[in-house]
Amino acid sequence: MKWNILKYHFKCSTVLCFLFFLPPTALAQEQRVADSLRKIYTNGKSLSSSEKMELLRNLSFNEVNNSALGMKYADELIALSKAEKNYLYLHRGYYQKGNKLRLAGDLDVALSAFFKSTNAAEKANYTPGLGTAYSAIADVYSVMGNTKNAEIYYNKAVRILRTTDNAIVLASALINAGDQYFKTKQYKVALQYFNESGAIFKKNDYIIGFAYSLGNIGMVYAEQGKNNLAMENMRKAIVILEDLKDYYAISDYLIHMSDIYVKQNDTKTALSYAKRSLDLAQKYGLKDQVSTSNLKLSQLYEKVGNTAESLKHYKDHITYRDSVTNLESVQKIADLRTNYEVSQKQVQVNLLKKDKEIQQLRVKRQRNLIYVTASTLLFIIFLAFGLYRRNKFIQKTKAIIEEEKNRSDTLLLNILPEETAQELKQSGKVAAKKFESVTVLFTDFKGFTDYAKDLSPEKLVESVDYYFSKFDTIMEKYDLEKIKTVGDSYMCAAGLPFETTDHAHKMVLAAIEIAEFVKESLAMQTQDQTRFEIRIGINSGPIVAGVVGSKKFAYDIWGDAVNIASRMESCSEPGRINVSEYTYELIKDQFHCEYRGEIEVKHKGMMKMYFVNGPK
């Protein structure tokens, strides 16, 4: 279930805090904030345009009990923002309107509002707002069941929001992206997203977000059969949400708790939870929750043999379901983005036509000047010609400079991670950074040195490029960082430049693909090709990363974890993936591993090693 966490993310502007002097408790009770601000709005106090736009934003933002009133404030904010040509508040107005429509179940209209919100955010050059609007679009597509579009816009949102300093907005996108994995039954991945978002919310003392994370973690545990953990997390979440009066989320969690009691054959308690969910949904006009609760009650009454009640609730379920997901609305949503993009193209065409008309008026004016004085015309012609040549020269020079800049930026990104490249361009240097947990991989081809003696330089380069090009593709697939190649050795790392919790898991998956590719290539070898067997070694631990050199610079990593990874490769066997004990502890629940015992390692003594045989 998608949670609109951002509707609780209330921050008064400096102007409004000065005008209204809201007490600290207002930040926790959103409806109280709306009630306090409504008095100022009703009294008609003289406000500037910017103050009134901020007032309307907060009124719509915090009005949770009366959705129609919240919509009225959003529409008024949109109208005022258009009149003032204030794209920042136009973005905020459409965003608030989209939130109200989405909660009311009007998905097609909500999607239209969110797209308009992205357009306004782009014109305002407001990056956090653009990421937030993309996340809201992804939420709507996810509710519709459009997995492809939901993933596209979640990726856009998370990528943009990671460049901002708004941790709450990023965590909100992460928790809803985790819900997408939950819907497709990828429970381990969903749990990682919920844990990450929950940690961010808790660190920032953001109670509502932390409550949603607890509830979603409970839903995952319920699907995994861990009923006690599921009930514990969802009950904690409901206690917090009742205090915040967020009945949408409570209604959904009650259905999941009902499911748990069904599994325990306690139908009576399951019915009580489902009825409570329906009561809340009907009281506060939550259409999709009314549909879901009626379906659950229909199933429960059928189970206990009450056919009449089962049929009644099933009919109510169909009525509300069809009101939310009718076919005509789905078609409107499919056409919405296309119409939006066509309208943008039409604006560009109109501007070109206008430019052409202006140019024609200039020519006509110059022609009239010819009849006034020949000497003035001659002067204007020479002057215009000179300016034209100068303008063409400037444009050509700018195009060359821009092309070279883009080329240098592309080359820089091929050498360095994007975050490191940006730091280098901005400050002229890159500070070394320590990562507490990273996984490093080394590969080496068996007998490459002996083969190299008999190969021509062209064949040698062709053979190495054949493998390394495929390795690069695998790195990109799993979002890993290629560090460097030295001869026939390939080195890469996971967990940087952005720290992750699944770096060892992704690196082992990549290593399995590398080993399979090398094995298949060897089996398909022909007389004019040179193919090799490969050894792979992996280790996890802390490292330091940075850029070395002042001209031919390179991104590199150092540390004992890197050295051990190299030793794991040299101690491996052809076609096998050899991992250290540190990596084994991180992946043992996901992969079948074969203990090799303790093996002598140069400068390290005896170390435990394991072969990875494949995923569980």
Side-chain angles (χ1 to χ4, degrees), residues 143-161:
V143 172
M144 291 165 49
N146 191 332
T147 301
K148 181 179 179 182
N149 282 1
E151 290 178 354
I152 289 173
Y153 283 97
Y154 275 132
N155 289 336
K156 285 185 177 182
V158 172
R159 182 171 63 251
I160 290 174
L161 293 173

Side-chain angles (χ1 to χ4, degrees), residues 285-479:
L286 310 175
K287 289 184 178 180
D288 51 350
Q289 294 303 97
V290 170
S291 175
T292 302
S293 300
N294 272 304
L295 178 61
K296 178 55 61 180
L297 285 168
S298 174
Q299 294 169 346
L300 291 173
Y301 278 119
E302 181 181 13
K303 185 175 182 179
V304 298
N306 192 336
T307 306
E309 281 295 315
S310 176
L311 181 59
K312 173 184 174 298
H313 285 289
Y314 187 75
K315 288 181 178 179
D316 290 341
H317 156 67
I318 294 298
T319 300
Y320 279 94
R321 183 198 64 184
D322 291 345
S323 69
V324 176
T325 59
N326 62 78
L327 296 177
E328 183 178 350
S329 296
V330 173
Q331 184 60 45
K332 288 181 181 178
I333 294 169
D335 294 339
L336 187 61
R337 186 59 178 176
T338 301
N339 294 338
Y340 168 77
E341 293 174 350
V342 169
S343 68
Q344 297 303 302
K345 293 296 182 183
Q346 187 60 46
V347 170
Q348 296 176 10
V349 171
N350 292 339
L351 288 174
L352 290 174
K353 289 181 178 179
K354 198 67 176 178
D355 288 342
K356 186 176 181 180
E357 293 173 2
I358 293 172
Q359 186 64 30
Q360 290 173 348
L361 288 174
R362 288 177 179 172
V363 173
K364 184 177 181 180
R365 185 190 306 170
Q366 290 175 354
R367 187 180 297 117
N368 291 335
L369 289 174
I370 292 175
Y371 299 104
V372 177
T373 170
S375 59
T376 304
L377 174 63
L378 186 62
F379 175 77
I380 292 174
I381 290 175
F382 279 107
L383 180 61
F385 181 74
L387 290 174
Y388 174 77
R389 291 287 300 273
R390 182 174 181 272
N391 185 54
K392 292 292 289 185
F393 175 78
I394 291 173
Q395 289 181 352
K396 185 176 181 180
T397 303
K398 286 183 177 179
I400 294 173
I401 293 173
E402 186 66 22
E403 182 180 355
E404 291 301 320
K405 180 179 180 297
N406 292 336
R407 185 181 300 172
S408 65
D409 288 345
T410 301
L411 290 173
L412 191 62
L413 290 174
N414 285 336
I415 298 172
L416 305 175
E418 183 176 355
E419 180 189 50
T420 306
Q422 291 297 332
E423 182 179 353
L424 182 64
K425 289 196 295 182
Q426 291 173 3
S427 61
K429 60 182 180 179
V430 178
K433 183 177 180 182
K434 183 175 181 181
F435 294 84
E436 294 299 331
S437 184
V438 170
T439 298
V440 182
L441 175 145
F442 279 86
T443 73
D444 188 69
F445 294 119
K446 176 187 176 184
F448 180 86
T449 303
D450 294 333
Y451 279 104
K453 295 178 182 178
D454 301 325
L455 292 175
S456 65
E458 294 80 7
K459 280 289 185 182
L460 183 63
V461 172
E462 178 184 346
S463 299
V464 174
D465 182 68
Y466 170 79
Y467 287 101
F468 286 178
S469 295
K470 179 63 176 180
F471 294 0
D472 288 347
T473 301
I474 295 173
M475 295 303 105
E476 184 176 357
K477 174 181 178 181
Y478 290 99
D479 199 21

Side-chain angles (χ1 to χ4, degrees), residues 81 85-96 112-137 160-161 164 169 337 340 344:
S81 301
K85 295 184 179 180
N86 189 316
Y87 293 111
L88 175 60
Y89 277 95
L90 185 60
H91 147 72
R92 289 169 172 169
Y94 276 122
Y95 183 81
Q96 294 303 324
S112 175
F114 287 136
F115 274 125
K116 291 177 181 177
S117 178
T118 64
N119 187 31
E122 287 175 339
K123 291 182 178 179
N125 197 25
Y126 184 46
T127 303
L130 182 60
T132 302
Y134 277 146
S135 180
I137 291 170
I160 290 174
L161 293 173
T164 70
V169 178
R337 186 59 178 176
Y340 168 77
Q344 297 303 302

Side-chain angles (χ1 to χ4, degrees), residues 541-561:
I543 60 96
V544 174
V547 174
V548 295
S550 58
K551 293 184 178 179
K552 293 184 178 180
F553 43 77
Y555 185 78
D556 208 347
I557 58 176
W558 303 271
D560 196 45

Side-chain angles (χ1 to χ4, degrees), residues 27 29 31 69 80 110 151 245 292 299 347 355 375-376 427 431 440 449 483 500 517 528 532 582 594-595 606 613:
L27 298 180
Q29 297 294 330
Q31 190 56 52
L69 186 58
L80 181 57
E151 290 178 354
K245 299 181 180 180
T292 302
Q299 294 169 346
V347 170
D355 288 342
S375 59
T376 304
S427 61
V440 182
T449 303
I483 304 302
T500 62
F517 170 73
D528 61 341
F532 307 97
Y582 309 113
E594 174 186 338
Y595 179 55
M606 305 299 290
N613 292 329

